[in-house]
Amino acid sequence: MNPERIEANEVLFRAVQIHPNLWKGNRPSSVLFRNDRGVSVDRGGERAENEVCEFLQSHLSGYELKAIISVTAKKCEDIGVLPLPKYIDENPYHAEIHESETEVLISKAKARLLAVNCQIVKEFSG
């Protein structure tokens, strides 16, 4: 895992909290990918998918989770959004997805594309 750059083959994971705006029917809603501070994700790194899920669950234990989803950095590139490494002390895998180098908030159209193209990795009951 390159700490300076996210490679196209990397998988990015996002936890989905239980909230009516974040889930529509049986899929994540585009709202999940719209945040004016950046869309927080975790890089897969050298970890197995189940390790990433366990890490996210333990670090977000104060939240009720609906699911964990993933999207590849390549798909982000195809859609026209920018995944950026954003290492923080408590999470070396932390990253964010932005609209571009100069804009943080992802457009509604691109957020819809991310929602349609993401994969549901794990869904929780509740």
Side-chain angles (χ1 to χ4, degrees):
M1 184 174 81
N2 182 343
E4 304 298 317
R5 184 170 188 271
I6 295 177
E7 303 296 332
N9 65 342
E10 288 191 61
V11 179
L12 307 171
F13 296 85
R14 181 155 170 79
V16 184
Q17 294 179 44
I18 293 178
H19 189 283
N21 292 341
L22 300 179
W23 202 262
K24 201 174 205 175
N26 62 352
R27 299 277 315 155
S29 127
S30 62
V31 175
L32 181 65
F33 297 98
R34 292 199 27 98
N35 188 317
D36 59 7
R37 294 179 308 204
V39 174
S40 182
V41 293
D42 257 32
R43 301 168 73 177
E46 303 293 317
R47 304 174 294 172
E49 201 171 77
N50 66 322
E51 288 179 74
V52 176
C53 290
E54 288 172 14
F55 180 84
L56 285 170
Q57 284 178 261
S58 69
H59 278 76
L60 299 170
S61 61
Y63 298 95
E64 285 188 84
L65 297 182
K66 170 69 177 166
I68 296 174
I69 59 93
S70 70
V71 64
T72 64
K74 172 72 169 115
K75 183 54 71 178
C76 289
E77 181 182 307
D78 293 347
I79 290 169
V81 294
L82 182 64
L84 298 166
K86 294 284 185 174
Y87 171 88
I88 53 177
D89 287 339
E90 56 275 9
N91 184 357
Y93 300 102
H94 185 258
E96 292 178 1
I97 304 173
H98 292 189
E99 171 74 14
S100 67
E101 298 236 6
T102 57
E103 294 289 322
V104 176
L105 182 63
I106 295 171
S107 72
K108 289 180 181 179
K110 290 178 183 177
R112 273 193 298 276
L113 288 172
L114 285 166
V116 167
N117 286 283
C118 73
Q119 304 299 310
I120 299 168
V121 175
K122 183 173 185 175
E123 197 168 349
F124 303 97
S125 59

